[in-house]
Amino acid sequence: MAQRDATDRASAVAISGQGNLLKWLGFLPWIVLVLMVFLQTFDPGSVFASLRNQFFDYLQRQYPRTYVDPKEQFGLQIRYIDIDEESLRKIGQWPWPRTTVAKMVRNLGADGVAAVAFDVVFAEPDATSPDQVALRLPKDPAWDATRAQLNALPHNDAVLADAFRQVTTVTGFAFNDSKSSRKPLFKGSISVVGDGNPVLAVSSLRGVTTALPELEEAAAGNGFFNVVVGREQDLTVRRVPLLLSYKGQLYPSLTLEMLRVLVAKMGQKGSLLIKTLGSSDNPWTGGDPNAIVSLRIGDIPVPLDEHGELWVHYTNTVPARSIPAWKVLDGSVDKSLLENAAVFVGTSAPGLLDLRPTPMNPATPGVEVHVQALEQMLLGYSLERPDTARGFEFFYAAILGLLILVAIARVPVAWIGFVAVGGIAAALYISAHAFTEWHQLIDPIGPSATIAVVFVVTGLVKFIRTDTERQMVRSAFAQYLPPDVVEDIANDPSKLRLGGATRDLTIMFCDIRGFTPIAESFRQDPQGLTHLINRVLTPLSQEVLNHRGTIDKYIGDCVMAFWNAPLDDPEHATHGCDCALGMMDAMDALNRELTSEGFFKTHKVKPIEVSLGINTGTCVVGNMGSELRFDYSALGDAVNVAARVQSFAGNYGFDLVVGEDTEQVVSEKYAFLELDYLAVKGRATPTHIYALMGHAHVRETKTFMEIDAALQKLFAAFRSKDWIGARAAIEEGRKIAGDHQEIFDTYEERIDHYEHEPPPDDWDGAWVATSK
């Protein structure tokens, strides 16, 4: 018993700890939802940004921009002159002499181009120029004449500058992190409308490599050709800066400057008009007041974001865009490709290191990025990341996450899995639809990751909770219920009705009869007594479990059990009676074992017998006790009657005694002998009690019928106060009762009592018990 108490205490502590674990686990999915929404929205470490960009790249590859030649709408072609590998083989390694470049510019002018922009920087004087060669001649006076002749020749850079003046040209420069003192020459003008300062909205760089001053002066425009700034960690060119700042001044990109020059050639005002928040038609209502709202050059609106960047929607490769440089130089180019064309000069040669990763191609010529950007400017079209995108993504993830958290406690995880998968699929569809129909970039990755993580964590927590609840059920009931019943409850805890539920139970008390002599025989061996009790209680307990009963408790050498809780058992009275009969068979088997072991001879005790009391009635059943120690037990009048019935069994000489409520439920299934009509101590209402003699077929036996007839004759005389007739019935009964003489002894004692103290006139025949 001490071992069982220790086990119960350990079980109670374990269950209490598991309950605390479940309590804290309940907060985990909510914490994860808040954390995921925070990470999705603010993205520290740019984890989501990288995944988001990869998905946007996928959309670009799946739904590339359809190529539309600007000539159809604007009468303007856009081409690039490619210093490709073949040109390098034919002309020579780069850099080419500036005279060669000047020839190419003049040839382009002669072919009717509208403007030429260089995606290269002429930062150093041409080393092949006569004046540069003269500088490298020895200082010996013998070389003075040669030096003078060389200096008298046209300088190559001057030749190129002269070509720039003849043909509308845009020179290029590159921002970098080097330290430099010279600012690039800005050929245009910028007007800002609004209270914001766009210099603070765009990216800023510390250094710059510029073209030679005479080339900048000769050109119609001058712009930077950087296509990657710090916003793309993987250096993939998804968006290109149209404006950058250097030493507090805004500078246009090569593409933007090309557009400005073209607009100026069309007779429009070639200045950049920038609007920021705070302008009359864009009042500041929050956010960065310096954010760029719009940019216009002449009548052409330029698509860009608040940081002055253009999201490029790439087309597939269009071979007609590029013209090999060698064809321009040798005059073999198709002149119709260059008529009124905006031409960029760049390279696709890998050795010149201007291949850029884009969503479409890991090695796209940088010059082609400028071409595609100018196409989109003229068409007034680009991808955009709407201002409302983050808010939509936030609420989408938060609402789906909350739906999962609320619903998963009420419906199976598989159903919520469909909701999660559907939510992710919907996010992907919305993103793809927005991309194809509205050219908008809506992030499905952040919301999908939030939904997926919340679902996984919530499902895992539910699994842990369910498994822990099952373990709690097993811990609480493994010692009291059959294994299959424990598993049934563990798999569906909703079948449990704990905490004082009121229900009909069949209750049994089973006690070892004549235990005192047995205990005395083990006076010198208490451990042996414990072993014997365990040998007796084990088969008795097994019978309870075999018949779907619940073991309530062990009280010394007594077992208390009940049926119909915690699981419903419509046949609880039947199972209780079958269990009682099974216990008697188990005791017979045990006594045979002990006899074969010589136990009874050694200890000089009689075979072990048990008496059982069974009753059925309404009880309160549930976990009862304290937080430190509790039992799953039953309380109620039916329990008290069962206990009293068992204690009275010895008065009648029958081992199995049941109350009238049990007998009424199963009277057709078993053979019952009425034993008494009495009011147990503490209970005013009398009740009939019966001996369970076996299953229904026993009623047909001669012995049963004779004893039943004798008892009914006794009860009729006794309850009518016919003491003489009752004594006569007792004498007749003793002749046929065999070993069941105790019941007649009991009634003789009662007759003696009533003959000296007659019952009242309104006596109903019930005997009032004065002891338990």
Side-chain angles (χ1 to χ4, degrees), residues 30-50:
W30 296 90
I31 295 172
V32 169
L33 174 60
V34 172
L35 178 62
M36 288 300 298
V37 171
F38 172 82
L39 292 176
Q40 169 192 322
T41 304
F42 298 101
D43 198 14
S46 301
V47 176
F48 282 108
S50 177

Side-chain angles (χ1 to χ4, degrees), residues 182-485:
R182 182 176 176 273
K183 286 186 175 183
L185 179 63
F186 179 35
K187 309 288 287 191
S189 62
I190 296 177
S191 300
V192 178
V193 178
D195 298 330
N197 181 1
V199 171
L200 302 177
V202 303
S203 297
S204 176
L205 292 137
R206 296 182 300 174
V208 64
T209 300
T210 64
L212 295 172
E214 64 181 305
L215 297 179
E216 286 185 332
E217 291 288 349
N222 191 31
F224 64 84
F225 50 73
N226 303 68
V227 293
V228 177
V229 291
R231 298 186 194 280
E232 305 293 353
Q233 292 184 338
D234 59 359
L235 301 182
T236 300
V237 184
R238 300 180 180 89
R239 46 189 170 179
V240 295
L242 300 183
L243 295 167
L244 290 175
S245 70
Y246 175 66
K247 292 186 176 181
Q249 181 176 339
L250 284 177
Y251 288 91
S253 70
L254 186 70
T255 309
L256 191 62
E257 188 71 343
M258 170 67 95
L259 179 62
R260 184 191 67 79
V261 168
L262 292 172
V263 169
K265 285 195 69 172
M266 289 187 286
Q268 299 183 31
K269 186 177 180 180
S271 64
L272 280 64
L273 178 63
I274 299 174
K275 285 187 179 182
T276 65
L277 289 175
S279 59
S280 58
D281 52 348
N282 289 283
W284 183 74
T285 57
D288 183 3
N290 302 306
I292 297 173
V293 175
S294 66
L295 169 63
R296 179 179 291 274
I297 300 178
D299 295 333
I300 299 177
V302 178
L304 79 174
D305 65 14
E306 69 271 20
H307 301 296
E309 297 177 357
L310 169 73
W311 284 88
V312 182
H313 190 185
Y314 291 93
T315 67
N316 286 317
T317 300
V318 179
R321 285 193 181 114
S322 66
I323 299 172
W326 66 268
K327 288 189 175 183
V328 176
L329 286 168
D330 70 7
S332 62
V333 65
D334 182 354
K335 293 180 174 51
S336 65
L337 297 176
L338 294 173
E339 184 179 357
N340 198 34
V343 174
F344 290 85
V345 179
T347 180
S348 66
L352 297 185
L353 305 179
D354 193 33
L355 298 180
R356 308 290 181 179
T358 67
M360 304 298 291
N361 188 341
T364 300
V367 65
E368 185 168 329
V369 175
H370 299 303
V371 170
Q372 297 219 35
L374 182 59
E375 288 175 356
Q376 290 186 218
M377 290 183 195
L378 290 174
L379 297 171
Y381 157 79
S382 76
L383 299 175
E384 65 169 329
R385 181 111 166 98
D387 295 336
T388 57
R390 280 194 175 186
F392 170 78
E393 294 154 8
F394 172 86
F395 284 108
Y396 186 87
I399 291 172
L400 265 294
L402 287 172
L403 177 62
I404 291 173
L405 291 181
V406 172
I408 203 163
R410 296 167 173 79
V411 298
V413 174
W415 292 12
I416 301 303
F418 287 121
V419 173
V421 171
I424 293 172
L428 295 172
Y429 172 78
I430 291 170
S431 179
H433 184 77
F435 185 91
T436 56
E437 296 298 321
W438 309 313
H439 314 304
Q440 293 181 345
L441 299 171
I442 305 297
D443 174 27
I445 301 301
S448 296
T450 298
I451 293 169
V453 171
V454 169
F455 169 71
V456 170
V457 171
T458 306
L460 183 61
V461 167
K462 184 170 184 178
F463 172 79
I464 293 174
R465 289 174 67 100
T466 302
D467 189 64
T468 303
E469 287 172 354
R470 289 174 178 171
Q471 292 298 329
M472 291 172 65
V473 168
R474 293 186 182 104
S475 297
F477 294 102
Q479 301 179 56
Y480 314 108
L481 295 174
D484 59 332
V485 175

Side-chain angles (χ1 to χ4, degrees), residues 522-534:
F522 282 92
R523 185 178 301 170
Q524 304 301 322
D525 184 15
Q527 293 297 328
L529 178 61
T530 302
H531 177 68
L532 176 63
I533 293 176
N534 289 340

Side-chain angles (χ1 to χ4, degrees), residues 129-181:
S129 180
D131 62 320
Q132 295 300 310
V133 174
L135 290 174
R136 293 194 298 274
L137 291 176
K139 300 300 183 183
D140 192 323
W143 292 92
D144 288 347
T146 303
R147 186 179 295 109
Q149 290 176 349
L150 289 171
N151 285 329
L153 295 173
H155 300 170
N156 289 7
D157 291 316
V159 173
L160 181 58
D162 186 59
F164 285 177
R165 294 185 189 94
Q166 297 173 26
V167 180
T168 303
T169 304
V170 179
T171 51
F173 60 90
F175 284 118
N176 49 51
D177 290 328
S178 66
K179 293 184 179 180
S180 57
S181 58

